[in-house]
Amino acid sequence: MTAVRREAFGRMPPEQGGGEVEKFVLQSDSVRVEILSFGCIITTLETKDRDGKFSDIVLGFDTLEGYTRKHPFFGAVVGRVANRIANGRFSLDGKEYQLFINNGPNSLHGGAKGFDKVLWSPQVLPNGVRFFRLSPDSEEGYPGDLKVWVTYTLSGRELAINYLAQTSKTTPISLTNHAYFNLAGQGSRDVYDHEISIEADSYLPVDDTKIPTGEVAAVQGTGFDLRQPVELGKHLQKFHLDGFDHNFCLHQGQDRRLVARVFHPPSGRTMEVHTTQPGIQFYTGNNLDGSLKGKNAATYPKHSAFCLETQNWPDAVNKPHFPNVLLHPGEEYNHTTWLVFNTA
C-alpha cells in the first residue's frame, strides 16, 4: 500500500506571481518520495540500504527559496523540450521559431521559464499525484497550446513517472525529470564508487557547446561502452574523461525496457531505470562546484551526483534522422519512466 499526504510547502515570491506551493508525500514500505506542485520537483527520495536504513538519495534544498532561485534543475520536470536546441532555433512548416538562449549559444531545458519554474495544478490519486498545466501558444517561443499531465505513482519499490501531452499546433516536445542521485545519500562527496551500466550500443558525440554533431557513434571500444557495469571513478580515469553529459541511444520501441542500472556496493542500494523513451542523457554533475547550500547544509561539489534523464535525443528538431520529436494536433505524447529501487 502507498500512503499519500499533501501539505503546504511555501508561497511563491510576489514577483513570481505568488501562489501556494504544496508538497505531496508518497510512502510505501521501501520508498518515500516528496514532490512539489512547483516544477513537479522531487525534493526527497528515501530508500533503504542493505541493513534497512533509509537515506535521502537526491540532491535539493530544504526550503522553497532554494528552488525559486537559480539552480541546476534539481529534481524538476523540464520542458517543453528537455536538453539542448542548437542556437535556440528550429523551422516548422516553413516558419522559423526563435527560443530563449540560456546555455552558451543554445536553448536548454525549455528556456528562460521552463516547466521547472511554474506552478502546476495537483490532483491526489490513490497511490500518487497527477499535475496538470496548460503551456500557452508561443510560451518561450514554442507553437501551440500544450496540455501536459505529469503523474507520479509509487508501488512498493517502484516509482513511475508518466508524461502525457496534447497540442493545438505542431510542436516539438521532450519531457524528462532532472533528479540528481547519489546512492550513498545526498551530501556524499562523489559518485566514484558507484557501478553503472547503460543498455546502449551507440551514443551521440557532441561539439564544444554540447550539441550533437549528427553522428550516431558505436560505443564499442570507447569510454562510452557501459553495456557491462563499470566503477565510475576508475572508468573516468582510465578513459581520461572529465565526466559524462551525453545522450545514449536506446533500442527503439514503445515498450517498457530496462535501460540503465546503478549499484552502490558500500550501501547495497541499486537503482534500475526502465523507460519507453528513445534516449537517456547520462550526466555526472560536471557543473556542480560546491557553491550551492543544499539539504542539511550539504554542499554539492563536482561529480557528487549523477542524472539519468530519459528523453528524446538532443536537438532532434533540427536533425531529421533522429527520432521524431514533433507532436501534431490530434495525437498524444505519452511516455513513462520507472525507477526501481532495491538492495544487493
Side-chain angles (χ1 to χ4, degrees), residues 37-292:
S37 58
F38 175 68
C40 303
I41 291 171
I42 295 175
T43 60
T44 301
L45 205 165
E46 296 177 356
T47 68
K48 290 176 176 177
D49 67 9
R50 66 165 64 87
D51 299 322
K53 178 176 166 288
F54 278 96
S55 280
D56 182 6
I57 59 167
V58 296
L59 278 52
F61 303 103
D62 291 319
T63 63
L64 178 60
E65 196 182 12
Y67 292 106
T68 56
R69 289 199 288 238
K70 186 172 165 55
H71 67 94
F73 305 96
F74 285 151
V77 165
V78 293
R80 194 175 285 197
V81 175
N83 216 309
R84 295 168 179 86
I85 294 178
N87 304 309
R89 272 204 302 272
F90 62 90
S91 292
L92 270 182
D93 304 325
K95 182 178 176 191
E96 183 162 286
Y97 293 86
Q98 179 64 57
L99 311 173
F100 187 79
I101 305 297
N102 62 340
N103 183 252
N106 307 314
S107 183
L108 175 71
H109 293 330
K113 191 178 180 183
F115 290 2
D116 59 300
K117 298 181 184 71
V118 292
L119 273 174
W120 294 63
S121 303
Q123 176 194 353
V124 171
L125 306 175
N127 61 339
V129 57
R130 176 178 295 132
F131 298 102
F132 170 79
R133 87 174 289 257
L134 172 67
S135 171
D137 185 21
S138 81
E139 180 175 60
E140 287 297 324
Y142 288 98
D145 285 331
L146 187 76
K147 292 178 178 172
V148 190
W149 294 263
V150 176
T151 306
Y152 291 90
T153 48
L154 180 63
S155 172
R157 301 170 179 280
E158 180 174 279
L159 177 67
I161 312 172
N162 175 259
Y163 307 93
L164 193 64
Q166 299 161 349
T167 185
S168 65
K169 294 180 188 170
T170 300
T171 185
I173 178 173
S174 174
L175 302 176
T176 193
N177 179 283
H178 208 310
Y180 285 68
F181 296 96
N182 187 321
L183 300 188
Q186 73 89 27
S188 299
R189 192 179 66 248
D190 58 57
V191 288
Y192 297 146
D193 58 356
H194 289 48
E195 294 175 5
I196 182 150
S197 57
I198 297 178
E199 300 276 334
D201 298 326
S202 52
Y203 77 102
L204 300 180
V206 293
D207 67 18
D208 55 8
T209 73
K210 300 279 193 290
I211 291 288
T213 61
E215 181 194 359
V216 180
V219 300
Q220 181 78 39
T222 74
F224 296 88
D225 191 346
L226 304 177
R227 292 173 296 185
Q228 296 299 316
V230 302
E231 188 179 320
L232 196 55
K234 287 179 180 165
H235 187 79
L236 293 177
Q237 276 185 323
K238 178 181 173 184
F239 288 95
H240 308 292
L241 296 168
D242 185 47
F244 288 94
D245 191 1
H246 294 79
N247 178 83
F248 286 76
C249 308
L250 305 175
H251 300 293
Q252 302 297 295
Q254 274 295 311
D255 297 337
R256 170 177 176 162
R257 56 218 183 276
L258 172 65
V259 296
R261 186 174 186 273
V262 187
F263 172 46
H264 181 242
S267 68
R269 285 191 183 89
T270 68
M271 178 174 112
E272 287 179 358
V273 182
H274 303 244
T275 193
T276 59
Q277 293 269 29
I280 188 166
Q281 185 86 2
F282 178 37
Y283 174 54
T284 48
N286 313 328
N287 297 321
L288 298 175
D289 58 8
S291 61
L292 289 171

Side-chain angles (χ1 to χ4, degrees), residues 310-330:
T310 53
Q311 55 186 245
N312 206 315
W313 300 5
D315 202 35
V317 71
N318 291 312
K319 297 190 166 55
H321 61 296
F322 282 10
N324 172 46
V325 72
L326 297 179
L327 179 68
H328 301 279

